[in-house]
Structures are given as C-alpha cells and as structure tokens.
Amino acid sequence: MRTITLGRTGITVLQNAFGALPIQRIPKEDAAQLLQCAYEGGMRFFDTARAYSDSEEKIGYAFGREGGIFKTGREHIFIASKTHAQTPQEFQNDLETSLRMLNCGYIDVYQFHQMDTCWKPGDGTGMYECMLKAKAEGKIRHIGATTHKLGVAMEIVQSGLYETLQYPFSYLATEKEMDLYRQVQKSGMGFICMKGLAGGLINRSEAAMAFMAQYDNALPIWGIQRMSELKEWLAYMDRTPEMTPELEAYIRDEKRELAGNFCRGCGYCMPCTVGITINQCNRMSLMLRRAPSQAWLTPHWQTEMEKINDCVDCRVCTTRCPYELDIPNLLRANLKDYQEVLAGKVSVS
C-alpha cells in the first residue's frame, strides 16, 4: 500500500485523496455515507473549499458530529480548504466560516484559491500576513496555494513561502508542467494534484492511476460523487495499477488526440459577457465522444450551445484563459460539431 508525504508539511497519507467538490450535488446523508466509507477505506486527506457551496458543511456533518472522527481522532484525518478572499477582512470571514462549517478546531492545509498572483509578505495587501496570523493562532497548520496558471505556479514555488501547491496534473501534462512537478519536488513543497481526470476527459481510471503512481510527492485528489466511483479508487489502494506497455501506448494515443487546443474546463474564463457557459460548451466535441453523449444532448444543453451564436468577440475570456486558447473560435467549432451530431451527420457514443 503506497503512501505519499506532502513535502515539508510531514503529512503522510495513502496515495488517493478525496476531492469534495462533487458532494455539493448530493443530499447531506448520502454525502456523509460517502465520506465515512472513504475514511473507512483508507482515505485520510479530504479537499474542499469555501467556494464549494455546502461541501464543507457536509464534511463537518460527517466527521464533526458526536462520535465522529474529528472528536475521537483528529490527528488521523487531514482537511484542506481554500479561500477566494482578496482582502484581509474577506480572509478572516472565510476562515471563520470554514471552521464553523467543518465543525473542527483547525484546518490542516489552508490554501489561497485559484491564485492569479503570488501573495508575499510586505506586498501591501496583507494577504500572506493573514496566513501567518492564522497559523500562529493554531487555526491552520500549513499554508498552501492553488492555481491553474503555470507562470503563477512557478512563482509560488520559487517564492519559498508556501508549503503545498495544488495544480492540474494528469497524463496529459505538458513538458512545462512536468518541469513544474520537478521544481516542486526539489523545493520540498507538497504537490496536490487536481484534475487527474482532466475535468472528465480522461475516462480510464486505471491509466490515470498508473500514471500518477510514478511520481513521489504527488497526491491526487479525485472528485467523488458516487459510491461506485469511491469503490474504484479504494480498490487501487491495495492493487495499484502498474504502467504496462499497453497503458503506455494508450496514453500516447490519448495525448496525440488531446494535445494542443482543448479546454480543461477550469472556468477561469467565466463569467461570459453574454452568458455562454464557456467551460462546458468549449469542450463539448470531446465530451460527446468521450462520455455518454445523451447527457449532453438534452434540451438544456442544446439551449446552452445555441448561446454561442451570441458571442460578440469581446475576447475578455481569452485574456483570462491560463492556457491562452482562442476561445471564440473554439466555441464556434464546438457548436458546428454539436449541430452535426444533432442532425445525425456524426455518430457518437
């Protein structure tokens, strides 16, 4: 059974962690059952955020109630949460709300969420100082950062100020992203890997797990909403897939198909000035071919895709995209493919 140590934090857990964004979509009792089963199956690291609606509250309900693990063995479970705060007052409000929702005395890893700048001491914002104060008060144990922007991620690593970095990492990683991993490892930071399934584009978990298992100090957080998904990741605790020649060939083919201008679904481009759901519509062609298509052909998604015709080429979205995608033209290409599927000119799964 493989363990991961998150750099100089000293946090050591089994190789798969629980991404709690999806549990905001299910009833509280279902979420509590899922979280409890994850813990009983060996998962010890649970990642959430103030921005994930009631995700923190559901974790607090599952683990913080009478007899829960927060009350009986807090040292055996690690909670990571995040704040989108842009001011010290917002930071304080978010932290206090998270602690109350989580129903626990401290947060193990508290992260700035989706950073587009690297907060530093003395930069005039007071943001990094908020982390230091919270740590001194015992409200957080470790200071972390999350971002989708490679340049910002590199600056975070080079600053030496943060104990963990959370960044998208999967077998679709570019060479620059692989270099980021190496820099994180060299720095002694912990590396928390989000979007290990590339926002749903990767649909073979065995390949995703075999890739991730090659990297020390890389802890993947898998977004889990269903018991069937949880059982799949728990099965890999004892029987971790190995990188076989067949899986290597499969991944090479995947990278060829998905290389270049594809949307990762991070949502940095949002909101759209004319209401287009960019982060879903911009990868519709891929989702139709790589996931059960009927879920994307509903009247709801037909209406959403039609909104692409309202695009005014303001290109605000392109200035926000961390991957520098030509979003308006990619949207139109996705709409064309979508219309051909609806008209029966192209068959999908």
Side-chain angles (χ1 to χ4, degrees):
M1 197 173 284
R2 183 169 171 268
T3 60
I4 300 293
T5 298
L6 284 175
R8 58 181 178 268
T9 70
I11 292 173
T12 300
V13 292
L14 293 179
Q15 65 186 348
N16 286 324
F18 192 107
L21 182 153
I23 65 170
Q24 64 185 314
R25 307 180 190 124
I26 61 177
K28 184 166 69 172
E29 291 296 341
D30 292 350
Q33 182 184 18
L34 199 62
L35 290 161
Q36 190 63 41
C37 287
Y39 180 84
E40 291 170 357
M43 287 187 172
R44 293 293 183 269
F45 193 93
F46 295 79
D47 178 83
T48 183
R50 185 84 293 278
Y52 300 165
S53 64
D54 63 356
S55 174
E56 290 177 324
E57 182 180 0
K58 287 169 177 171
I59 290 174
Y61 175 72
F63 297 138
R65 52 189 168 177
E66 191 67 30
I69 192 65
F70 286 170
K71 309 294 185 185
T72 60
R74 180 69 173 85
E75 68 275 14
H76 301 303
I77 189 170
F78 301 93
I79 303 297
S81 195
K82 316 179 190 75
T83 174
H84 262 309
Q86 299 294 305
T87 68
Q89 187 58 58
E90 290 174 353
F91 180 99
Q92 189 64 30
N93 291 344
D94 274 1
L95 177 57
E96 295 301 332
T97 301
S98 290
L99 288 169
R100 186 172 68 255
M101 292 294 101
L102 287 165
N103 199 14
C104 62
Y106 64 89
I107 296 169
D108 296 278
V109 181
Y110 200 51
Q111 305 158 101
F112 286 125
H113 200 174
Q114 290 188 334
M115 295 171 72
D116 56 15
T117 187
C118 177
W119 305 118
K120 299 175 182 178
D123 63 9
T125 67
M127 296 304 293
Y128 191 81
E129 287 85 348
C130 287
M131 283 287 196
L132 292 176
K133 181 174 182 288
K135 191 173 182 180
E137 292 173 344
K139 294 178 179 179
I140 68 172
R141 294 290 174 87
H142 303 286
I143 300 172
T146 82
T147 186
H148 287 261
K149 297 184 176 182
L150 183 60
V152 175
M154 284 293 192
E155 186 179 359
I156 289 166
V157 176
Q158 292 162 5
S159 75
L161 296 169
Y162 294 85
E163 297 169 87
T164 64
L165 173 70
Q166 186 173 149
Y167 188 82
F169 192 67
S170 71
Y171 64 60
L172 300 178
T174 65
E175 183 51 41
K176 288 182 179 179
E177 289 165 337
M178 295 303 301
D179 183 57
L180 173 67
Y181 162 77
R182 291 187 285 268
Q183 294 299 320
V184 171
Q185 188 177 43
K186 184 178 178 181
S187 75
M189 295 175 70
F191 193 36
I192 303 169
C193 308
M194 60 173 151
K195 294 193 177 294
L197 297 178
L201 294 180
I202 292 173
N203 52 25
R204 187 174 176 183
S205 65
E206 177 190 11
M209 187 73 253
F211 169 84
M212 207 68 73
Q214 297 176 110
Y215 299 96
D216 294 332
N217 192 38
L219 178 66
I221 50 171
W222 309 107
I224 297 172
Q225 180 176 337
R226 300 175 180 86
M227 193 63 70
S228 58
E229 297 166 350
L230 175 62
K231 288 179 179 179
E232 193 168 15
W233 296 117
L234 290 181
Y236 293 153
M237 294 290 211
D238 292 322
R239 300 185 303 279
T240 305
E242 296 182 0
M243 186 57 72
T244 63
E246 186 272 329
L247 284 178
E248 288 179 345
Y250 175 82
I251 289 173
R252 280 196 301 271
D253 290 341
E254 288 275 278
K255 294 188 78 166
R256 275 195 293 268
E257 179 180 351
L258 295 171
N261 293 330
F262 72 92
C263 176
R264 280 79 167 175
C266 70
Y268 258 95
C269 54
M270 304 285 281
C272 172
T273 57
V274 295
I276 301 168
T277 310
I278 300 172
N279 60 335
Q280 296 290 11
C281 295
N282 211 23
R283 56 187 188 146
M284 186 61 72
S285 294
L286 289 170
M287 295 306 292
L288 285 173
R289 289 160 177 76
R290 302 176 66 83
S293 61
Q294 290 307 310
W296 300 102
L297 297 174
T298 61
H300 168 77
W301 283 111
Q302 291 179 43
T303 299
E304 290 299 307
M305 289 299 290
E306 283 299 318
K307 291 180 183 177
I308 294 172
N309 289 319
D310 298 331
C311 176
V312 293
D313 270 300
C314 68
R315 295 197 165 263
V316 172
C317 55
T318 62
T319 66
R320 298 170 177 160
C321 179
Y323 303 100
E324 300 180 345
L325 299 178
D326 183 359
I327 292 174
N329 284 324
L330 283 176
L331 282 171
R332 294 185 184 103
N334 273 273
L335 177 59
K336 180 181 178 182
D337 288 349
Y338 191 80
Q339 289 171 336
E340 288 181 350
V341 169
L342 287 176
K345 296 178 180 179
V346 178
S347 60
V348 291
S349 60

